[in-house]
Amino acid sequence: MPQTPSTRWCPTPEQLMILEEMYRSGVRTPNASQIQQITAHLSLYGRIEGKNVFYWFQNHKARERQKLRRRLGRQHQLLHQSEGPSSPTPPLHNQTPPPNLLYQGCLQEVLTQGMNLVGKLEAGEGQEEEPAASDAVYTQPWMTMMDGSAAAATAVPPPCCRPLKTLDLFPTKSTGMKDECSSSKSSSCSTSTN
Amino acid sequence: MPQTPSTRWCPTPEQLMILEEMYRSGVRTPNASQIQQITAHLSLYGRIEGKNVFYWFQNHKARERQKLRRRLGRQHQLLHQSEGPSSPTPPLHNQTPPPNLLYQGCLQEVLTQGMNLVGKLEAGEGQEEEPAASDAVYTQPWMTMMDGSAAAATAVPPPCCRPLKTLDLFPTKSTGMKDECSSSKSSSCSTSTN
DNA sequence: GCAAATTAATGATTTATTCAAG
DNA sequence: CTTGAATAAATCATTAATTTGC
């Protein structure tokens, strides 16, 4: 096997740099289209997939916060020993508003330097915005495509032809229908070490 | 507007029935291809997308477990007052092994009644399982497609042509580059009762 | 009987936790 | 130990039930 299947993505320095810069400039949860763009651009510097970008932002955000939390926790450590029920670490469920991050709002320009940046914030606001099921604001990407229901649902308006039988539990086509074991974890369901 | 934009998916009884039956027969975390199939089939009974299927299984599993946990908690309630460090609710991180679910292994037939079910369970099992980067066991779907890197990664083996420029922070194309505000968590529902 | 107000379910997102490759 | 990948838990938000006043 000359080329290791590369079990997992290994970001190149350029990719990493760009990602970090984007993060610093405020990007935190890119949506599908944004991820597409980012991926497209980063793919110039090496192999990369959309999920990599997605996960990277997820992890980076989480770990940055975690790091921050740790620091704060340290400070709290010597501020009180009895756990105050008021708010051990209150604004953790907020969107991490670290006062030292002047994110987005201006840095965006850095990202959008040479682009058109068409006014789309309220672009087609005239009409009562049609969700259109095509470009909703899915923060969770991937969904927009795949499934083909988009095509089916969009193309076939009313499923008039309901096979009014006892609705046989659909004929799965292929792909080993074996799941249940939630994930690949537990190599053989006996690790149990935890 | 004759057709409500339908902000969220509303499963038809048929869809629900099928999904539940599938769940009962053991399906818990369908992967991309499975979700595709399920979606394709269910789309016969009404509008549906892959993400709906995905979310449904996520939620159903979680809530089933939650329900179960509550019940167990109730029982524990009068079994011990001092929290035994052994296992307050031990196998909660496992894959919910409810002993009364004779899931999958045979019920699969029910699901696969009229199909070909080509031998793919261990189709290319001869080799030491090749991750193959094309049909990995992504439990999180959507990832396999989209971004086109899948194609690129699979087709283009070594990215030899790295444009060694000063890596300008890529020109985002369009789509409002506004994220950061994680969600629109206003208060509105102050039910709180939960 | 019905429509507004409340409550309960549940679809959709976000966050935290965990696992494993390097 | 760092960090990409994946899953589960927590949360939000919208729809359906249900209740309540008329």
Side-chain angles (χ1 to χ4, degrees), chain A residues 19-90:
Chain A
L19 285 171
E20 282 174 349
E21 183 53 35
M22 292 186 62
Y23 183 87
R24 294 191 45 177
S25 60
V27 182
R28 312 227 295 193
T29 332
N31 59 13
S33 23
Q34 293 177 267
I35 287 184
Q36 279 203 51
Q37 298 176 182
I38 298 171
T39 304
H41 182 73
L42 290 186
S43 66
L44 288 174
Y45 304 97
R47 179 168 65 70
I48 190 174
E49 297 180 42
K51 68 169 195 170
N52 299 322
V53 174
F54 175 70
Y55 282 140
W56 189 91
F57 277 101
Q58 288 261 115
N59 282 320
H60 199 69
K61 177 170 42 166
R63 275 159 188 156
E64 208 65 20
R65 180 182 309 184
Q66 176 185 114
K67 216 180 297 178
L68 204 91
R69 165 159 43 176
R70 267 216 149 91
R71 288 195 131 69
L72 288 181
R74 285 258 182 265
Q75 293 197 347
H76 281 211
Q77 186 190 48
L78 37 90
L79 277 179
H80 62 79
Q81 57 280 33
S82 65
E83 45 190 82
S86 52
S87 54
T89 323

Side-chain angles (χ1 to χ4, degrees), chain B:
Chain B
M1 291 72 173
Q3 49 189 80
T4 308
S6 67
T7 36
R8 79 182 201 185
W9 171 58
C10 191
T12 71
E14 293 96 333
Q15 291 175 333
L16 206 57
M17 210 188 304
I18 296 178
L19 284 171
E20 281 174 350
E21 184 54 34
M22 291 186 63
Y23 183 87
R24 293 192 46 174
S25 60
V27 183
R28 314 229 296 192
T29 331
N31 59 12
S33 23
Q34 292 176 265
I35 287 184
Q36 278 203 50
Q37 297 176 183
I38 297 171
T39 304
H41 182 72
L42 290 186
S43 67
L44 286 175
Y45 303 97
R47 179 170 65 70
I48 191 174
E49 298 179 42
K51 67 167 196 171
N52 299 320
V53 174
F54 174 71
Y55 285 142
W56 190 90
F57 277 101
Q58 288 261 115
N59 281 320
H60 198 70
K61 177 172 38 167
R63 277 159 183 156
E64 208 65 21
R65 180 182 311 184
Q66 176 184 116
K67 215 181 298 178
L68 205 90
R69 166 157 42 177
R70 266 219 151 87
R71 286 196 129 67
L72 287 181
R74 285 257 182 267
Q75 293 197 346
H76 281 210
Q77 187 190 49
L78 38 89
L79 275 178
H80 61 77
Q81 55 281 30
S82 64
E83 44 192 82
S86 51
S87 56
T89 321
L92 255 180
H93 245 163
N94 250 334
Q95 47 263 38
T96 40
N100 54 354
L101 273 186
L102 59 142
Y103 42 92
Q104 112 176 103
C106 42
L107 262 291
Q108 225 55 299
E109 295 184 29
V110 182
L111 299 176
T112 61
Q113 49 168 352
M115 51 174 292
N116 14 21
L117 198 267
V118 289
K120 99 297 350 308
L121 289 176
E122 302 79 10
E125 189 73 276
Q127 224 65 7
E128 185 74 4
E129 103 269 337
E130 194 87 9
S134 60
D135 191 64
V137 284
Y138 296 142
T139 322
Q140 214 78 348
W142 353 105
M143 352 216 78
T144 350
M145 59 299 296
M146 174 211 182
D147 83 32
S149 85
T154 313
V156 185
C160 46
C161 45
R162 296 256 197 84
L164 23 74
K165 49 188 303 186
T166 3
L167 51 86
D168 51 332
L169 292 180
F170 95 100
T172 38
K173 218 205 339 260
S174 56
T175 350
M177 207 61 169
K178 64 163 182 71
D179 38 75
E180 179 268 318
C181 265
S182 21
S183 67
S184 56
K185 52 188 62 176
S186 50
S187 40
S188 62
C189 353
S190 49
T191 8
S192 75
T193 3
N194 67 315

Side-chain angles (χ1 to χ4, degrees), chain A residues 96-170:
Chain A
T96 42
N100 54 354
L101 272 187
L102 59 142
Y103 42 92
Q104 113 176 103
C106 42
L107 262 293
Q108 225 55 297
E109 295 184 29
V110 181
L111 298 176
T112 62
Q113 46 169 349
M115 53 175 292
N116 14 21
L117 199 268
V118 289
K120 100 291 4 286
L121 289 176
E122 300 79 12
E125 190 73 273
Q127 223 66 7
E128 189 70 5
E129 102 274 335
E130 194 87 10
S134 60
D135 191 64
V137 286
Y138 296 141
T139 321
Q140 215 79 346
W142 352 105
M143 352 218 78
T144 349
M145 60 297 298
M146 173 212 183
D147 83 32
S149 86
T154 312
V156 185
C160 48
C161 46
R162 299 258 195 80
L164 25 73
K165 48 189 304 186
T166 5
L167 48 86
D168 49 328
L169 294 180
F170 96 101

